[in-house]
Amino acid sequence: MARQTRADSPRYAILVVDMLNDFVHGKLKCARASRIIPNIQALLDAARKKGIPVFFCSDEHLPIDTYEMKIWGPHAMKGTEGAMVIKELKPAKEDFVVPKRAYSAFDGTGLDKALKGVYDGRGANAVIITGLHTNICDRHTAYDAFVRGFEIIVAEDGVDALTEEDHVSGLQYMKQVYGAKVKKVSEIIKNF
Ligand code: ZN
């Protein structure tokens, strides 16, 4: 068997989901989110040093997004402070910003096309999911990555949810149903 060549190795892309003022500090505050911020920072620093592309997939809602407004009320509304990425994780100039209007980062956003464009057009083949919430937007994003054939890695200490139960059930679901690998940020960085 031929030795694995560089071309076969994972071509990672980092997805940072909804690390926005409204979700961390504001209207839909997740009190647990503060503990994942330094881990995501460390992951992004390591990724940028290795030239691994980073995508900020961020809610940017319009008032007509009634499907979510009915459940959560207005949040991360386009053009407001609440829809901005938290200052601790400010996107770097080489990062990509992908606005979304539904739970999945792939839903009507062009993210899949963007993922195909990186690595000189060879495309990413593995996504590393970080951000909020494990059982909602992370999980729906993982579904769309799954049906598109991406390898899925979920940063166990880089995602979180409103409760421990929601967080654990979200991780378990992605592992069981999408074959996601659940790894600590330190482990993920070691494989870069
Ligand atoms: Zn939303």
Side-chain angles (χ1 to χ4, degrees), residues 78-116:
K78 185 181 165 101
T80 66
E81 193 62 25
M84 306 283 287
V85 173
I86 56 169
K87 62 178 187 326
E88 297 90 332
L89 297 176
K90 201 175 171 327
K93 65 175 188 319
E94 67 268 35
D95 297 344
F96 302 96
V97 177
V98 179
K100 68 186 186 70
R101 289 173 52 206
Y103 296 148
S104 170
F106 287 87
D107 195 341
T109 63
L111 175 62
D112 39 9
K113 197 172 267 183
L115 289 170
K116 281 185 193 137

Side-chain angles (χ1 to χ4, degrees), residues 9-192:
S9 57
R11 297 187 300 279
Y12 297 113
I14 317 270
L15 307 183
V16 184
V17 179
D18 284 342
M19 289 301 285
L20 309 179
N21 288 324
D22 266 352
F23 289 98
V24 179
H25 307 297
K27 284 182 183 157
L28 286 182
K29 181 179 165 69
C30 172
R32 295 159 55 92
S34 57
R35 65 179 187 172
I36 64 173
I37 297 170
N39 301 334
I40 299 177
Q41 273 169 338
L43 182 68
L44 298 188
D45 287 347
R48 288 173 187 135
K49 274 185 200 132
K50 294 277 181 181
I52 293 169
V54 175
F55 294 82
F56 282 85
C57 308
S58 303
D59 258 4
E60 208 173 82
H61 281 297
L62 301 178
I64 51 173
D65 298 343
T66 51
Y67 44 90
E68 274 195 40
M69 299 302 120
K70 276 193 278 192
I71 295 173
W72 305 103
H75 62 277
M77 304 307 287
K78 185 181 165 101
T80 66
E81 193 62 25
M84 306 283 287
V85 173
I86 56 169
K87 62 178 187 326
E88 297 90 332
L89 297 176
K90 201 175 171 327
K93 65 175 188 319
E94 67 268 35
D95 297 344
F96 302 96
V97 177
V98 179
K100 68 186 186 70
R101 289 173 52 206
Y103 296 148
S104 170
F106 287 87
D107 195 341
T109 63
L111 175 62
D112 39 9
K113 197 172 267 183
L115 289 170
K116 281 185 193 137
V118 293
Y119 293 96
D120 295 323
R122 286 185 298 141
N125 58 10
V127 292
I128 298 169
I129 296 179
T130 69
L132 301 169
H133 299 85
T134 320
N135 61 323
I136 309 173
C137 293
D138 294 337
R139 177 175 148 177
H140 284 81
T141 298
Y143 167 78
D144 274 321
F146 170 70
V147 294
R148 285 164 177 78
F150 288 97
E151 183 186 340
I152 301 165
I153 297 145
V154 180
E156 185 177 1
D157 51 355
V159 298
D160 222 324
L162 291 168
T163 67
E164 176 70 10
E165 197 189 355
D166 288 346
H167 174 61
V168 170
S169 70
L171 288 177
Q172 180 58 27
Y173 190 96
M174 290 188 277
K175 211 160 138 175
Q176 186 179 10
V177 182
Y178 308 142
K181 292 180 186 139
V182 176
K183 293 183 181 181
K184 290 237 184 320
V185 162
S186 56
E187 247 183 289
I188 295 171
I189 291 174
K190 252 187 262 164
N191 291 328
F192 282 171

